[in-house]
C-alpha cells in the first residue's frame, strides 16, 4: 500500500500485522484496535503456527509475545531474522532489563511490557511505519559511502566489502545517522531522540545493544573508519581525515 503526503513523501503503509500471543483476549483486543486503524490482521497463538503463517502470508510487521507454548518468542524472532528484516515488536510480561536486551540482541525493533495500553501499541506501530516507510521521492538516494562500506536508506541496504548484509531497520538507521555525521560525538539520549524519536519509551541500553550488533557486522572491514565509544559520553563514527 502506498500513500502520498502533501509534502511529496511516499509512505509505504503496513498492510498486514501478525499478532502472536497465546492469550486470545489480548489478540482480540489488538485486532479490534488495528482493524479500526485500517490494518489487516493475522492471528497466531503458538510459535510453530507463527512461523508457518509468517512464511505463507508475509506480514509487514509482527507483534510477538515471548512466553508461547512450544517454540518461544525469542526462538521465533531468531528464525525470522535469518530470512527477513520485517519489523518486530516484542510484547512480553517480562519487564526485566535483561529480557529486553535479549530481545533487541535477537533483532527485535522495539518492545512493550504487559499490561499495556492498546493505544500505545498503535503509536509504536505508526512510529515504525513513518520511520521505515517515508522516502522523499523528490530527492536523490539517501546514501553514505566510505571505504568498503555503503549505507543506502532508499533501499534500506547495508553493503560491506561489496556484499549486502541483512540488517534490521533500526540498526541501519543508527549507522546511517552516525556515518552521516562523521567524527561527531553523540550521547545515548541524543541518539534515542534523533533515531528512535520522541515515541520511544525505552532506556539508553538500547543504543549499546545496537552498537554491539553493528560492530559484529563491521569488525575488521576497514582501517579508515570505525564505530568508536567515547567513554563517559557516547558514540561516534570516526573517519580518517583523508577519507
Amino acid at each position: 500500500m502506498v500513500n502520498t503526503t502533501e509534502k511529496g513523501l511516499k509512505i509505504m503503509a503496513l498492510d498486514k500485522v501478525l499478532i502472536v500471543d497465546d492469550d486470545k483476549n489480548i489478540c482480540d483486543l489488538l485486532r479490534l484496535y488495528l482493524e479500526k486503524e485500517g490494518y489487516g490482521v493475522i492471528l497466531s497463538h503458538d510459535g510453530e503456527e507463527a512461523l508457518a503463517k509468517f512464511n505463507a502470508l508475509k506480514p509487514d510487521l509482527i507483534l510477538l509475545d515471548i512466553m508461547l507454548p512450544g517454540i518461544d518468542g525469542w526462538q521465533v524472532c531468531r528464525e525470522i531474522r535469518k530470512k527477513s528484516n520485517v519489523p518486530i515488536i516484542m510484547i512480553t510480561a517480562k519487564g526485566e532489563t535483561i529480557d529486553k536486551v535479549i530481545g533487541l540482541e535477537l533483532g527485535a525493533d522495539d518492545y512493550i511490557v504487559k499490561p499495556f495500553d492498546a493505544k500505545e501499541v498503535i503509536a509504536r506501530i505508526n512510529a515504525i511505519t513513518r520511520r521505515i516507510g517515508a522516502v522523499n521521492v523528490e530527492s536523490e538516494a539517501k546514501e553514505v559511502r566510505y571505504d568498503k562500506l555503503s549505507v543506502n536508506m532508499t533501499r534500506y541496504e547495508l553493503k560491506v566489502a561489496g556484499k549486502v548484509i541483512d540488517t534490521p531497520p533500526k540498526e541501519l538507521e543508527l549507522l546511517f545517522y552516525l556515518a552521516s555525521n562523521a567524527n561527531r560525538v553523540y550521547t545515548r539520549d541524543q541518539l534515542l531522540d534523533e533515531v528512535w524519536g520522541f515515541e520511544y519509551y525505552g532506556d539508553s541500553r538500547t543504543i549499546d545493544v545496537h552498537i554491539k550488533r553493528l560492530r559484529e557486522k563491521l569488525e575488521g572491514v576497514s582501517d579508515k573508519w570505525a564505530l568508536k565509544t567515547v567513554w563517559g559520553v557516547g558514540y561516534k563514527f570516526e573517519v580518517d581525515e583523508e577519507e
Side-chain angles (χ1 to χ4, degrees):
M1 182 186 301
V2 179
N3 296 332
T4 303
T5 71
E6 296 176 356
K7 296 181 180 180
L9 294 179
K10 184 168 63 177
I11 306 295
M12 296 300 296
L14 302 176
D15 288 317
K16 295 178 291 186
V17 176
L18 172 60
I19 302 171
V20 187
D21 198 308
D22 60 340
D23 188 327
K24 295 185 178 180
N25 290 328
I26 288 178
C27 287
D28 289 341
L29 175 65
L30 289 172
R31 177 170 59 181
L32 178 66
Y33 274 87
L34 285 167
E35 289 180 344
K36 184 178 179 181
E37 293 291 321
Y39 295 105
V41 175
I42 306 163
L43 298 181
S44 178
H45 303 302
D46 64 67
E48 291 184 1
E49 181 187 38
L51 289 173
K53 289 189 174 181
F54 169 77
N55 291 324
L57 302 175
K58 307 299 181 186
D60 301 294
L61 182 140
I62 301 172
L63 298 175
L64 178 60
D65 188 24
I66 289 180
M67 303 304 291
L68 297 169
I71 301 175
D72 65 26
W74 284 328
Q75 184 63 29
V76 172
C77 183
R78 185 181 292 112
E79 292 300 317
I80 289 174
R81 277 292 173 258
K82 290 179 181 179
K83 62 185 74 173
S84 173
N85 289 328
V86 61
I88 297 174
I89 300 176
M90 305 295 286
I91 297 182
T92 172
K94 293 189 172 184
E96 294 85 354
T97 298
I98 186 61
D99 294 308
K100 299 174 184 178
V101 170
I102 289 173
L104 292 169
E105 287 183 335
L106 291 176
D109 296 277
D110 203 349
Y111 55 82
I112 297 176
V113 178
K114 298 177 183 176
F116 56 81
D117 187 326
K119 293 180 180 178
E120 177 187 350
V121 179
I122 297 298
R124 300 286 187 99
I125 292 174
N126 289 340
I128 287 178
T129 303
R130 289 194 296 273
R131 287 199 304 260
I132 70 173
V135 177
N136 192 333
V137 297
E138 298 173 353
S139 66
E140 297 179 358
K142 295 171 61 177
E143 183 175 24
V144 291
R145 291 186 179 185
Y146 294 97
D147 179 50
K148 300 179 184 178
L149 176 70
S150 169
V151 187
N152 188 300
M153 296 307 296
T154 299
R155 296 192 298 270
Y156 262 76
E157 179 182 87
L158 171 64
K159 280 188 178 180
V160 176
K163 181 180 178 181
V164 176
I165 305 296
D166 289 337
T167 307
K170 193 48 56 191
E171 282 184 42
L172 202 64
E173 291 169 16
L174 177 59
L175 178 59
F176 179 80
Y177 186 79
L178 288 169
S180 298
N181 299 278
N183 295 323
R184 178 174 174 180
V185 180
Y186 289 93
T187 68
R188 292 167 178 82
D189 287 340
Q190 285 176 324
L191 291 172
L192 283 175
D193 287 342
E194 295 294 336
V195 181
W196 272 256
F198 70 89
E199 298 97 343
Y200 187 71
Y201 300 95
D203 58 55
S204 59
R205 285 287 301 276
T206 298
I207 300 296
D208 300 336
V209 172
H210 283 72
I211 290 290
K212 175 185 174 183
R213 284 159 48 188
L214 283 169
R215 282 175 171 160
E216 291 171 353
K217 295 178 173 70
L218 303 175
E219 184 177 5
V221 172
S222 174
D223 59 1
K224 297 182 179 180
W225 50 263
L227 275 176
K228 291 282 189 177
T229 299
V230 181
W231 297 109
V233 183
Y235 297 101
K236 69 175 178 176
F237 187 87
E238 187 174 88
V239 179
D240 285 350
E241 293 300 325
E242 294 181 1
E243 191 71 3

